[in-house]
Amino acid sequence: MSQQIMIIGLGQFGTLLARTLFERGAEVLAVDIEQSRIDAVADFVTHAVAIDATDEGALAQLMPASRDTVVCTIGGASKDSAIICTALLRQMGCQHIVARANSQMHRRILLLVGAHEVINPEQEFGRRFATHLLHRNILSDTMLGGNLELTEILLPPSMVNQNLVSLALPKRYGIIVAAVRREGELFRPDPREMLKEGDKLLIVSSEEALATLLKEV
């Protein structure tokens, strides 16, 4: 059964999120106060409705608690609207509320009024892009939660013809190598097998541990 997701707020981020989720098989209900934005997304979501999401009665009619996830992406100068909407969603019993914040204070308030998860897309993009600029051998990274991320890196030249036993990455950096990609094939690493030029490592670590590793190698 497809996941049922409600997206509230159809700015650039909310629109892209709604479209991507729909393309990946989710049933998406898109909501915004402006009819023009609803018209713009109507062809690539399941349903699109123009309401004021801070209006308790109008929001309740959409039965947000029946959705697997509700994402409040109201951003920009509409901080108060995002806070009110998030509080209403929690009051209505939504099981998973994701809210968008644009500052640390805003994040704390959203968590206090009931958000289960708070995101800051601009901050996250900035952090990842900065990491990419500083460390060109990082190919991709995915946040896992709890300050851990899964990162694919191109094997640094200093690690070529060494094995994981001699590198001792868990002891030295708190880094775990989950897999090795070689010539397009992904496999679990043999700790005693020599790593080769062109290998890619999929590692689980904190951002700080990865930065320390890449600085030293």
Side-chain angles (χ1 to χ4, degrees):
M1 182 177 177
S2 299
Q3 286 200 55
Q4 297 189 343
I5 300 176
M6 178 186 291
I7 307 294
I8 301 174
L10 299 175
Q12 186 175 8
F13 175 70
T15 297
L16 179 59
L17 181 63
R19 183 167 194 156
T20 302
L21 287 168
F22 181 71
E23 290 173 348
R24 295 184 181 181
E27 181 180 317
V28 178
L29 170 58
V31 178
D32 197 276
I33 195 170
E34 295 186 19
Q35 184 63 49
S36 59
R37 290 182 173 181
I38 293 300
D39 295 340
V41 304
D43 290 339
F44 56 81
V45 295
T46 312
H47 302 289
V49 180
I51 66 159
D52 179 356
T54 65
D55 182 328
E56 184 175 0
L59 186 61
Q61 288 184 2
L62 299 180
M63 297 184 293
S66 66
R67 301 277 160 175
D68 296 299
T69 298
V70 181
V71 187
C72 178
T73 67
I74 300 172
S78 305
K79 291 182 181 180
D80 291 346
S81 295
I83 293 166
I84 293 169
C85 178
T86 300
L88 289 174
L89 292 170
R90 187 59 179 260
Q91 180 180 303
M92 292 174 187
C94 295
Q95 56 187 307
H96 185 211
I97 304 165
V98 181
R100 175 186 180 181
N102 48 28
S103 70
Q104 285 301 315
M105 177 65 76
H106 193 203
R107 177 181 185 277
R108 289 198 294 270
I109 295 172
L110 289 168
L111 289 170
L112 284 171
V113 300
H116 298 100
E117 184 178 351
V118 177
I119 58 173
N120 187 324
E122 293 83 2
Q123 182 182 64
E124 180 64 16
F125 174 77
R127 184 193 65 80
R128 291 189 177 193
F129 188 60
T131 300
H132 170 72
L133 291 177
L134 291 171
H135 307 292
R136 298 292 181 90
N137 51 342
I138 292 182
L139 305 176
S140 66
D141 67 325
T142 303
M143 294 302 298
L144 300 176
N147 195 36
L148 289 178
E149 54 185 38
L150 177 66
T151 309
E152 183 171 6
I153 68 169
L154 182 64
L155 184 71
S158 62
M159 292 186 181
V160 174
N161 295 327
Q162 295 197 59
N163 61 30
L164 295 178
V165 172
S166 64
L167 290 170
L169 299 179
K171 181 178 180 180
R172 294 171 61 192
Y173 303 101
I175 286 175
I176 297 173
V177 178
V180 175
R181 194 187 305 275
R182 180 176 295 159
E183 297 178 353
E185 182 180 351
L186 194 66
F187 59 91
R188 293 182 63 181
D190 179 341
R192 300 190 179 278
E193 181 180 351
M194 294 299 181
L195 297 169
K196 300 180 179 180
E197 183 178 359
D199 283 352
K200 301 174 180 65
L201 306 182
L202 274 76
I203 64 176
V204 177
S205 71
S206 67
E207 182 180 359
E208 295 79 10
L210 176 61
T212 299
L213 169 67
L214 294 177
K215 187 182 298 183
E216 294 185 1
V217 298

